[in-house]
Amino acid sequence: MREYDVIVVGAGGAGLRAAIAAQEAGADVAMVTKLHPVRSHTGAAEGGINAALREGDDWHDHAYDTMKGSDYLGDAPAVEALTRESPKETIQLENWGMAFSRDEDGVVSQRPFGGLSFPRTTYAGAETGHHMLHTMYEQVVKRGIEVYDEWYVTRLAVTDEDEPEERDCHGVVAYDIKRGEIEGFRARDGVILATGGLGQVYDHTTNAIANTGDGVAMAYRAGVPIEDMEMIQFHPTTLPSTGVLISEGVRGEGGILYNSEGERFMFEGGYANNDGELASRDVVSRAELSEVNDGRGIEDEYVHLDMRHLGEDRILDRLENILHLAEDFEGVDGLEEPMPVKPGQHYAMGGVETNEWGATCVGGLYAVGECACASVHGANRLGGNALPELAVFGARAGRHAAGDVDDEPKITTGWSADSEEGENVSPVPLGEADLPSAGKGALADGGAASDDTASAVDADGVVESAVQAERTRVHYLLEKEEGVNHAEVRSELQETMTQNVNVFREEGALKDALEDIREARQDYQHVTVKDPSRTYNTDLIHTIETRNLLDVAEAITVGALARDEFRGAHWRKAHQERKDDEWLKHTMLSWNDGSPGLWYKPVVLEGEDKTYEPKVRSY
Amino acid sequence: MSTQTEPPEQTDDEAETMPESEPEPEPPSPGDRRRAEKAEREADREAAEAAEEPDLGDDAVTLKVFRYDPEVEAKAEPRFDTFRVPFEKGMTVLDALIDARDTYDSSLTFRHSCRQAVCGSDALFVNGRQRLGCQTQIADLEGDVVRVEPLPHQDVVKDLVVDMEHFYDQMEAVEPYFQTDETPDDELEEQFQTPENREKIKMSTRCIWCGACMSSCNIAAGDNEYLGPAAINKAYRFAMDEREGENMKQHRMELIEQENGVWRCQTQFSCTNVCPKDIPLTEHIQELKREAVKSNLKFW
């Protein structure tokens, strides 16, 4: 067993920042990642980092824009932490050498982004995430922080008390992909989940193939509530054939959207009379699909994004990467012709429930970045708010886990007096995908409640028994002779999610999706790994990932079915209005021994010195 | 050669749970219809797979893929496997590999993640050249067969996966992190960098650590000590950054002037030719050589 003070799972932006902060606070830190840090999906972020850096701007305005953008489903204490600390974190990156784009006078440049009242998006060309990821990894190398790359964390070692609020996380179980060995990692002070997105639930996504929601699913099955999972962001400009992202920076610099009739529909169609192309992402995504559905799409599928009028110099200076992406992945020269774009899954606003320090209700367990829900994005994330989220909450969780903070959180986690039970209206039984001969809880789960864990008394014992459970699980998967390939289950799931739980949502389709997910769960019971090798067994890795996708897809759909209103990215055909009386609350889902329970907790609209009153959200 | 998955056995569950009396038939919901269509497609696919040689006509790609797994008897000797996968417009080498793996042989092993040329994990040797699988359109390749091999001059772990440790070690050897003579005291105070200087280092910052350059370099192939183009480019990125200051630049020049540094480069341009991010690697190495000469002259 390997032992550290703090173990960070995942090494994208949030994980790297957390590791640096924990180490600076004196902790002995290890990072465990299924990729190598520089392969993380933060590297694909293009747009920029929102930070109130300049005269005329103020973090209060950034907070207001973010609360409005969230459609009042963001929690003010988290939003204020984000916006107050983002300037410091952004300048910290600059001081670490990040190559931001610069103005003539040598200061870092900023540009306008959707939903912002000030041009406060700091950027590095159209490859801000790449620069940020590499800059932070460089700092990790400089500090000599231990990195276990190509080690896949498959299970959390959490104690087995009945109430999640009484449980403790003592470490993780990880699978060394290169050697095929399973080992325990004991964390003396804390485990920080920073596992990123879950876009592989959909078949048209900007997300990497590795973004399979591992952290969300593991925490969920260990008893930690997951929050607002139905809030999935669809980015309005992705390339139709691959889902590759075309940055909002294109519209920020003045790019224009046209339908097949050559109309600038954001204005002419009345979708956003003031902000046009720079309305927030949910608004633009719906507008594009409405055009396509009304017969004004190109090839019945997409619209055009035109940046030719910006001129070659400006494009090369600020959006060069976009030219390469359009050329490589769609065969289009953005200098000569408009680019085809359509909405694609982009970001999960929901995730593991945390407070504004990244802490969950389970002792010693933290979550930061896209896998977490603090919540700063609510029902709709503003472009340019994901990268500061990584930095701010990564740093906060790192410090907190290392014991450097003793502030009382303002956001409560776990079940409390303010919580209320929800009613689950799924047409099929939920949860449960245990492999038949696997023994209760141990195999398919990766969850807390296994018979072995219950008997473990000390921290080492909890980790050891979790390791045993994972060894049994992997052995079972490798030994099983006949069955289904994970790829079949995965594509079943992705198809139904894209068809039924997309930008536009209807009750019947959501119920269809739940039936299909149930079917996929049943198929998964027969899943088998054909590759017998211990060495670099990607067949096994993808099989375990697929289990995580099942739980995540179900949570998204259950939440979407329950929320019968229209808020942010969540649109319901039969409920086209925001219902503040009923729905100023977070959708919570808890895994109770394999049966997901739905409940709610109120949104925190009270900030430091003001309350954010819900207003009509127009752009 | 395919090791096809048998269809799972039909279970009797549905029959058992059918109520005894027939209920009124309801019109099928859109979901039911879709499921029925899916089952039909599934049946078609299985029928097609059952045929000995699926007839994919002209719209198919022939992949010849390097296979090796020291642990598995049947694969312990390196060999090539052939896969025929249906061709679609816009298909990349990575798409074809994924299709081959998901449809025919789930043990086919390769790295991949972002599939948009930023993560650098799928550098492969395709038709005799280092390329990113995700960035290479099948339609752009010449010939009827796509030949996919692991990056040359690296140890093969399994199939197309190579050991990257040596590459990472060389990157770390150049102190790949920003170091200044002095940074601002105030946490909100930024350093200044002229747009020209940012432009100068821009191309060098694009490196995604894919290892294509290192694999293509004849010198690196024959000399394990040579830092190689990626690491020297990383050194360039910091040495040329005006924010690091003169003292640090001196230190960086000393690092890359060592025996295993820039002087090993024989200007063959193979790294520059294969770089998927178009970084002028050879030029950067040459510029550092010139800088080295200049800084040495100062001492005379």
Side-chain angles (χ1 to χ4, degrees):
Chain A
M1 190 184 306
R2 293 158 199 263
E3 196 166 327
Y4 296 89
D5 293 336
V6 174
I7 289 167
V8 181
V9 183
L16 294 166
R17 187 66 190 90
I20 294 167
Q23 200 249 12
E24 282 182 344
D28 179 20
V29 183
M31 309 192 71
V32 190
T33 166
K34 69 177 176 179
L35 306 170
H36 180 278
V38 301
R39 319 283 178 222
S40 305
H41 200 55
T42 298
E46 293 167 12
I49 305 170
N50 295 337
L53 292 175
R54 297 284 174 252
E55 208 174 313
D57 199 7
D58 190 292
W59 71 262
H60 292 94
D61 296 339
H62 185 189
Y64 175 83
D65 292 344
T66 303
M67 287 300 286
K68 176 184 168 191
S70 81
D71 224 349
Y72 303 94
L73 198 66
D75 284 342
V79 167
E80 292 190 343
L82 173 85
T83 56
R84 200 172 46 229
E85 292 173 27
S86 172
K88 186 181 78 185
E89 286 295 332
T90 305
I91 296 306
Q92 174 70 81
L93 286 163
E94 197 284 331
N95 288 346
W96 284 338
M98 182 164 158
F100 283 107
S101 292
R102 300 277 169 170
D103 287 346
E104 279 308 310
D105 58 359
V107 302
V108 298
S109 300
Q110 296 200 303
R111 65 180 166 202
F113 248 48
L116 297 180
S117 57
F118 189 92
R120 69 169 73 90
T121 306
T122 317
Y123 62 98
E127 46 201 4
T128 315
H130 166 80
H131 286 275
M132 185 166 170
L133 179 71
H134 283 257
T135 301
M136 291 205 283
Y137 177 59
E138 288 157 17
Q139 292 300 311
V140 162
V141 172
K142 184 177 184 180
R143 289 163 165 76
I145 293 170
E146 189 128 21
V147 178
Y148 292 85
D149 66 296
E150 300 193 328
W151 282 68
Y152 182 35
V153 171
T154 58
R155 187 186 180 104
L156 304 175
V158 172
T159 56
D160 192 30
E161 281 79 11
D162 283 345
E163 301 303 325
E165 297 80 17
E166 290 163 15
R167 293 178 191 169
D168 286 309
C169 181
H170 291 302
V172 302
V173 182
Y175 180 83
D176 178 356
I177 299 173
K178 280 167 277 195
R179 289 185 305 131
E181 295 295 328
I182 292 169
E183 287 192 42
F185 284 73
R186 162 110 162 76
R188 284 183 288 260
D189 296 334
V191 169
I192 302 177
L193 292 173
T195 58
L198 47 79
Q200 286 301 315
V201 161
Y202 288 87
D203 66 8
H204 189 83
T205 173
T206 64
N207 282 200
I209 297 168
N211 287 10
T212 52
D214 299 330
V216 175
M218 278 192 294
Y220 178 42
R221 292 198 300 266
V224 186
I226 50 177
E227 179 174 350
D228 295 334
M229 291 296 289
E230 70 273 25
M231 296 305 178
I232 295 291
Q233 177 158 70
F234 296 88
H235 195 291
T237 58
T238 73
L239 296 177
S241 56
T242 51
V244 165
L245 175 69
I246 297 299
S247 166
E248 186 166 318
V250 176
R251 281 169 293 135
E253 297 291 346
I256 297 174
L257 291 166
Y258 293 108
N259 63 20
S260 64
E261 291 167 16
E263 291 167 329
R264 189 177 182 183
F265 59 87
M266 286 309 299
F267 285 111
E268 291 173 25
Y271 298 104
N273 291 326
N274 296 320
D275 293 358
E277 280 81 4
L278 276 178
S280 88
R281 291 175 173 180
D282 56 325
V283 176
V284 183
S285 290
R286 279 192 298 274
E288 290 176 359
L289 280 189
S290 299
E291 290 298 304
V292 171
N293 293 343
D294 291 349
R296 291 186 295 277
I298 298 147
E299 291 184 8
D300 276 340
E301 194 194 354
Y302 54 84
V303 297
H304 273 149
L305 175 62
D306 197 348
M307 61 178 186
R308 289 172 294 180
H309 57 286
L310 301 177
E312 190 170 341
D313 287 350
R314 183 145 158 212
I315 293 172
L316 285 176
D317 182 35
R318 300 176 181 198
L319 300 166
E320 186 188 341
N321 186 40
I322 300 304
L323 289 179
H324 298 309
L325 294 175
E327 175 68 41
D328 290 346
F329 299 104
E330 206 69 49
V332 166
D333 180 354
L335 291 174
E336 299 289 331
E337 51 198 326
M339 299 174 284
V341 291
K342 74 173 196 180
Q345 193 282 346
H346 183 52
Y347 190 90
M349 268 86 69
V352 179
E353 183 208 31
T354 73
N355 63 25
E356 68 272 33
W357 292 101
T360 71
C361 70
V362 167
L365 183 64
Y366 296 77
V368 288
E370 190 171 345
C371 74
C373 182
S375 68
V376 286
H377 309 305
N380 174 63
R381 178 176 69 81
L382 293 182
N385 263 358
L387 295 182
E389 178 195 14
L390 304 180
V392 169
F393 291 97
R396 287 171 76 90
R399 286 204 302 275
H400 199 283
D404 201 22
V405 176
D406 51 10
D407 261 30
E408 277 300 306
K410 297 185 186 105
I411 296 172
T412 54
T413 52
W415 181 270
S416 73
D418 294 332
S419 308
E420 63 173 284
E421 292 279 359
E423 191 199 352
N424 179 3
V425 290
S426 167
V428 287
L430 297 173
E432 295 172 359
D434 291 336
L435 301 170
S437 55
K440 180 186 168 290
L443 288 182
D445 254 3
S450 79
D451 295 338
D452 294 341
T453 323
S455 57
V457 282
D458 61 353
D460 285 354
V462 172
V463 179
E464 257 324 307
S465 65
V467 168
Q468 283 312 324
E470 281 310 274
R471 288 199 175 129
T472 321
R473 177 197 203 188
V474 166
H475 182 76
Y476 175 82
L477 287 170
L478 289 175
E479 292 298 307
K480 193 166 182 299
E481 297 266 317
E482 290 294 320
V484 186
N485 179 357
H486 64 82
E488 285 185 45
V489 181
R490 197 183 279 210
S491 68
E492 246 174 78
L493 194 70
Q494 291 172 333
E495 276 176 37
T496 193
M497 291 299 285
T498 299
Q499 184 151 354
N500 297 312
V501 199
N502 215 300
V503 174
F504 292 127
R505 296 170 174 185
E506 297 175 43
E507 183 178 331
L510 293 170
K511 287 185 168 166
D512 282 349
L514 283 170
E515 283 174 28
D516 290 345
I517 293 165
R518 177 76 192 169
E519 216 174 286
R521 274 193 190 284
Q522 279 161 349
D523 289 347
Y524 191 82
Q525 301 209 7
H526 308 288
V527 80
T528 181
V529 176
K530 279 273 167 72
D531 187 351
S533 182
R534 280 273 171 185
T535 308
Y536 221 96
N537 193 334
T538 52
D539 196 1
L540 174 67
I541 302 298
H542 297 320
T543 301
I544 296 173
E545 287 174 343
T546 301
R547 172 63 219 281
N548 294 335
L549 289 172
L550 283 168
D551 287 341
V552 166
E554 185 179 84
I556 293 168
T557 313
V558 167
L561 184 59
R563 187 176 282 274
D564 51 8
E565 67 157 352
F566 166 25
R567 184 180 298 273
H570 176 67
W571 181 98
R572 285 282 300 266
K573 188 178 186 185
H575 307 276
Q576 298 198 33
E577 55 174 333
R578 195 175 78 192
K579 298 174 184 169
D580 286 342
D581 292 343
E582 205 184 335
W583 282 106
L584 275 176
K585 59 189 183 187
H586 298 292
T587 309
M588 310 298 296
L589 214 57
S590 287
W591 181 269
N592 304 318
D593 283 336
S595 152
L598 185 67
W599 53 284
Y600 298 99
K601 73 168 189 177
V603 178
V604 184
L605 294 175
E606 296 82 36
E608 202 173 79
D609 48 25
K610 70 184 277 199
T611 294
Y612 299 83
E613 293 294 342
K615 290 181 185 154
V616 175
R617 200 163 67 99
S618 63
Y619 287 100
Chain B
M1 70 114 293
S2 66
T3 50
Q4 291 171 4
T5 312
E6 292 293 321
E9 280 191 30
Q10 292 289 331
T11 58
D12 293 331
D13 287 358
E14 275 187 34
E16 282 170 11
T17 54
M18 282 288 273
E20 303 228 327
S21 60
E22 284 282 318
E24 276 292 306
E26 277 184 66
S29 76
D32 288 341
R33 274 204 306 279
R34 204 177 55 74
R35 271 189 289 277
E37 281 165 18
K38 194 177 99 185
E40 217 168 280
R41 281 203 305 276
E42 197 69 3
D44 287 349
R45 190 176 64 82
E46 277 162 18
E49 278 181 13
E52 283 250 319
E53 182 72 19
D55 180 20
L56 300 166
D58 293 336
D59 294 332
V61 187
T62 302
L63 286 173
K64 271 182 108 66
V65 185
F66 179 88
R67 304 299 302 272
Y68 166 72
D69 185 343
E71 252 191 274
V72 177
E73 205 179 330
K75 281 171 67 188
E77 283 298 311
R79 66 161 199 266
F80 281 87
D81 280 349
T82 304
F83 299 91
R84 290 271 290 166
V85 297
F87 175 76
E88 284 172 27
K89 186 175 170 285
M91 191 179 214
T92 64
V93 170
L94 178 63
D95 294 333
L97 284 172
I98 290 175
D99 201 344
R101 178 194 69 196
D102 287 355
T103 317
Y104 300 118
D105 184 355
S106 60
S107 73
L108 177 58
T109 305
F110 46 96
R111 290 189 179 100
H112 62 300
S113 185
C114 77
R115 46 98 185 106
Q116 60 184 83
V118 292
C119 78
S121 58
D122 68 339
L124 298 164
F125 199 57
V126 181
N127 286 6
R129 187 179 195 270
Q130 286 81 0
R131 312 172 203 249
L132 296 183
C134 67
Q135 203 188 25
T136 306
Q137 294 278 329
I138 302 265
D140 292 347
L141 293 172
E142 281 180 14
D144 299 332
V145 175
V146 180
R147 189 182 165 95
V148 189
E149 297 163 78
L151 288 181
H153 309 311
Q154 329 258 24
D155 292 338
V156 177
V157 176
K158 177 178 167 183
D159 292 351
L160 302 172
V161 173
V162 295
D163 189 342
M164 294 291 288
E165 286 310 313
H166 178 63
F167 178 85
Y168 296 146
D169 288 347
Q170 300 303 75
M171 292 300 267
E172 291 204 8
V174 298
E175 300 183 11
Y177 35 79
F178 191 73
Q179 305 172 81
T180 52
D181 298 340
E182 50 184 290
T183 41
D185 298 332
D186 186 339
E187 62 183 20
L188 283 174
E189 192 185 336
E190 61 204 88
Q191 307 159 103
F192 292 91
Q193 182 182 27
T194 61
E196 295 72 31
N197 185 248
R198 200 257 173 190
E199 192 63 26
K200 183 172 179 59
I201 63 164
K202 183 174 86 177
M203 293 310 288
S204 67
T205 62
R206 295 230 164 120
C207 176
I208 54 174
W209 298 45
C210 69
C213 56
M214 193 82 156
S215 163
S216 77
C217 175
N218 283 330
I219 316 305
D223 178 0
N224 236 5
E225 297 296 308
Y226 176 42
L227 287 172
I232 295 176
N233 175 69
K234 193 80 179 165
Y236 177 97
R237 178 254 173 277
F238 291 110
M240 295 300 168
D241 191 321
E242 65 186 13
R243 292 172 295 173
E244 278 208 338
E246 280 306 310
N247 290 344
M248 188 49 64
K249 183 164 179 179
Q250 190 57 42
H251 170 66
R252 292 204 177 275
M253 293 311 297
E254 283 161 17
L255 278 178
I256 53 116
E257 266 186 75
Q258 294 172 62
E259 205 180 333
N260 59 353
V262 288
W263 302 111
R264 282 273 190 276
C265 170
Q266 295 185 4
T267 337
Q268 294 175 343
F269 286 94
S270 50
C271 55
T272 304
N273 286 337
V274 301
C275 176
K277 306 308 280 186
D278 299 327
I279 303 169
L281 293 157
T282 315
E283 260 179 56
H284 287 170
I285 299 171
Q286 295 312 301
E287 197 177 338
L288 287 174
K289 284 182 187 170
R290 287 197 297 274
E291 287 286 317
V293 172
K294 272 197 283 180
S295 68
N296 285 338
L297 285 177
K298 276 186 206 156
F299 297 112
W300 294 350

